[in-house]
């Protein structure tokens, strides 16, 4: 547990021969590393309870989540990141706490989530946490890693491994006016109908050059995911999906460096 007694640990190192400045640096580095590895957790976070903190009600497909914020002010990125998920008054199946701590952000929930990330990584970490929570509270059916588009009320599921360009394709199609419902995960209900999960499209650094003139791209902050990938989230591209429908076709994306764009029947 981290209880603010960094000075006590530093004093112990000084007694073993370290200089005061070096001891404090060593302790601070260790705390940061151990927080990132999940070996430490700030004990003051367990005391953050009650209705005083701002609350945002989110709905991912039909799973309600209460997001409670503990920070001096609401960060500029939070509402845009969750803009497609905000549903005031929706019943919540679980609660997520997002707390700021001297430039670091702590994420926790009531089923064991414990994540500490820097300012640069908080948005991707929150998206990953919300995705995990959604999957764990799924009422029926299953979730697939895919994008979902709608053409004249017919749904096309676009599947492929990470890095094949699902998000890039979805952002391009959405910018051209096509109905895009998800770039990352899609819920398939027990009755076989598909429902998009409208997180903001996440563009990796390799695709940025294609969108650098777009206003949504220029306004988007630069984030770093936990795997080291740099991403930007683009607003106002995906539609909120309130009407699950059957899948009319499935497309499988593959990537060939330097290859021409082609469509092949499966």
């Amino acid at each position: 547990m981290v209880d603010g007694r960094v000075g006590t640990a530093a004093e112990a190192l000084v007694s073993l021969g370290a200089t005061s400045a070096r001891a404090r640096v060593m302790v601070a580095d260790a705390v940061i590393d151990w927080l990132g590895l999940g070996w430490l957790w700030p004990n003051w976070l367990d005391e953050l309870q009650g209705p005083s903190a701002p609350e945002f009600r989110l709905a991912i497909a039909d799973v309600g989540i209460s997001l409670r914020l503990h920070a001096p002010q609401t960060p500029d990125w939070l509402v845009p990141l969750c803009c497609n998920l905000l549903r005031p008054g929706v019943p919540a199946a679980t609660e997520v706490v997002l707390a700021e701590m001297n430039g670091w952000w702590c994420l926790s929930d009531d089923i064991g989530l414990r994540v500490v990330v820097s300012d640069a990584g908080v948005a991707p970490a929150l998206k990953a946490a919300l995705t995990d929570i959604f999957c764990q509270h799924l009422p029926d059916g299953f979730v697939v890693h895919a994008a979902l588009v709608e053409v004249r009320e017919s749904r096309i599921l676009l599947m492929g491994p990470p890095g094949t360009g699902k998000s890039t394709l979805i952002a391009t199609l959405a910018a051209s006016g096509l109905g895009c419902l998800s770039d990352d995960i899609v819920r398939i209900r027990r009755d076989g109908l598909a429902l998009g999960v409208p997180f903001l499209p996440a563009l990796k650094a390799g695709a940025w050059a294609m969108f650098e003139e777009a206003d949504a791209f220029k306004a988007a902050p630069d984030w770093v995911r936990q795997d080291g990938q740099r991403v930007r989230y683009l607003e106002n591209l995906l539609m909120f999906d309130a009407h699950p429908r059957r899948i009319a076709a499935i497309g499988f994306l593959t990537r060939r460096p330097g290859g021409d764009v082609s469509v092949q029947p499966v």
Side-chain angles (χ1 to χ4, degrees):
M1 303 293 281
V2 178
D3 60 8
R5 293 180 294 181
V6 172
T8 302
E11 290 168 4
L13 290 173
V14 169
S15 70
L16 296 174
T19 65
S20 177
R22 177 58 180 161
R24 295 192 70 84
V25 169
M26 292 171 65
V27 172
D29 287 346
V31 168
I32 292 172
D33 289 343
W34 294 351
L35 285 170
L37 292 169
W39 295 351
L40 294 176
W41 184 248
N43 59 7
W44 56 268
L45 286 174
D46 295 329
E47 302 171 3
L48 295 179
Q49 299 177 356
S52 59
E55 182 192 24
F56 302 87
R57 286 295 177 100
L58 312 178
I60 305 177
D62 49 5
V63 175
I65 300 174
S66 169
L67 174 62
R68 196 170 293 279
L69 175 69
H70 293 269
Q73 59 186 14
T74 301
D76 294 339
W77 54 264
L78 182 58
V79 172
L81 180 73
C82 299
C83 62
N84 293 336
L85 310 176
L86 291 170
R87 297 292 179 273
V90 68
T94 188
E95 179 178 270
V96 178
V97 174
L98 177 64
E100 193 270 339
M101 179 183 67
N102 298 324
W104 292 82
W105 292 87
C106 304
L107 272 165
S108 63
D109 68 5
D110 51 11
I111 56 174
L113 173 70
R114 293 289 187 272
V115 176
V116 180
V117 293
S118 67
D119 274 330
V122 59
L126 177 59
K127 179 184 176 183
L130 292 175
T131 300
D132 288 345
I133 291 169
F134 166 65
C135 293
Q136 293 182 38
H137 287 84
L138 203 63
D140 62 68
F142 58 94
V143 171
V144 293
H145 179 211
L148 187 66
V149 298
E150 186 167 272
V151 182
R152 295 188 294 274
E153 297 190 358
S154 294
R155 302 205 161 176
I156 302 173
L157 196 68
L158 300 174
M159 307 184 70
T164 50
K166 293 185 296 296
S167 296
T168 303
L169 178 59
I170 282 291
T172 303
L173 295 175
S176 66
L178 195 66
C180 296
L181 305 173
S182 178
D183 82 313
D184 189 40
I185 58 174
V186 177
R187 180 188 169 196
I188 308 299
R189 303 194 324 181
R190 183 185 305 173
D191 57 11
L193 301 183
L195 192 66
V197 179
F199 286 114
L200 297 186
L203 293 184
K204 298 175 185 175
W208 289 358
M210 299 174 57
F211 298 90
E212 58 187 6
E213 298 302 320
D215 291 339
F217 178 82
K218 294 176 181 177
D222 185 351
W223 301 100
V224 180
R225 297 193 325 192
Q226 289 176 298
D227 62 2
Q229 289 269 12
R230 295 171 62 202
V231 296
R232 291 191 182 188
Y233 299 106
L234 302 191
E235 297 180 49
N236 304 319
L237 290 182
L238 297 190
M239 301 163 39
F240 175 68
D241 189 6
H243 304 290
R245 292 189 173 95
R246 71 178 185 86
I247 297 172
I250 301 176
F252 295 91
L253 303 183
T254 59
R255 185 172 184 174
R256 295 180 299 157
D260 296 328
V261 176
S262 63
V263 178
Q264 299 176 353
V266 178

